[in-house]
Amino acid sequence: MEELLVCAILLSEGFVAEDEYHKRLDELFLRIPENDDLLYLEWETDIDKAVIYVRTHFDYTDSGSDPERFGRILMDRLKEVYENSPDIQYFAVRMYSLWQSLPGNIRNMEPFLTLCHADDPLSWGDEEQSRNMYERMLNYYHA
């Protein structure tokens, strides 16, 4: 379910298309057809309601969840966005917004917390420091 949560968050922030969410949902449902949450989501036609459902029904306190797996998937996806982003200022604004949309119980953990403050050096013109912070965050699970 971590993949679906990442996809839903990225969809709500405008990083992925709705088709990608549906493709991932279909793959998961075919793999786990007995999952009631996935069945509900397969029938939900309103994408906004589906995203809200995913975000509110995924619980990191559940023993079956894996915050590290979520982080790896998210950072791999954000790395693609970063590498294809021509403007660091625009990227930084979007990363802060993304940080605000993360589940509260992981928002203040590394590497996610970096999303909140890596844009600070940009306010005094230090693009290099911001880039270093983002790149360290994006490679957090590969170090």
Side-chain angles (χ1 to χ4, degrees):
M1 290 291 283
E2 289 85 0
E3 302 101 358
L4 194 59
L5 179 59
V6 167
C7 200
I9 290 171
L10 293 177
L11 173 65
S12 68
E13 293 297 319
F15 290 110
V16 300
E18 188 175 330
D19 291 347
E20 186 174 338
Y21 163 82
H22 286 294
K23 180 181 177 201
R24 188 66 196 129
L25 173 60
D26 292 345
E27 290 169 357
L28 285 170
F29 182 70
L30 289 173
R31 199 169 51 189
I32 318 166
E34 66 279 359
N35 184 296
D36 291 337
D37 291 326
L38 296 175
L39 177 62
Y40 171 83
L41 292 167
E42 282 287 335
W43 284 96
E44 180 57 69
T45 58
D46 183 325
I47 191 64
D48 293 329
K49 287 181 182 178
V51 168
I52 289 169
Y53 186 90
V54 170
R55 295 174 56 107
T56 57
H57 284 79
F58 193 87
D59 183 9
Y60 275 111
T61 60
D62 181 7
S63 61
S65 67
D66 187 349
E68 183 173 331
R69 180 170 156 72
F70 170 82
R72 283 181 182 278
I73 295 166
L74 180 62
M75 291 306 139
D76 286 347
R77 297 300 304 275
L78 291 179
K79 192 171 197 173
E80 295 172 26
V81 174
Y82 176 78
E83 290 171 350
N84 293 312
S85 184
D87 181 8
I88 189 70
Q89 291 281 352
Y90 181 68
F91 177 82
V93 168
R94 294 181 79 197
M95 291 303 101
Y96 182 75
S97 177
L98 177 73
W99 174 78
Q100 291 177 308
S101 71
L102 290 176
N105 56 339
I106 65 161
R107 187 180 298 166
N108 294 321
M109 295 170 37
E110 286 299 341
F112 313 109
L113 186 58
T114 300
L115 294 166
C116 173
H117 61 79
D119 62 335
D120 290 348
L122 294 174
S123 65
W124 58 83
D126 193 347
E127 181 177 320
E128 182 179 351
Q129 185 177 359
S130 283
R131 286 191 179 279
N132 287 337
M133 292 168 74
Y134 283 125
E135 289 169 13
R136 193 172 332 113
M137 173 197 73
L138 295 170
N139 293 307
Y140 183 86
Y141 297 101
H142 300 288

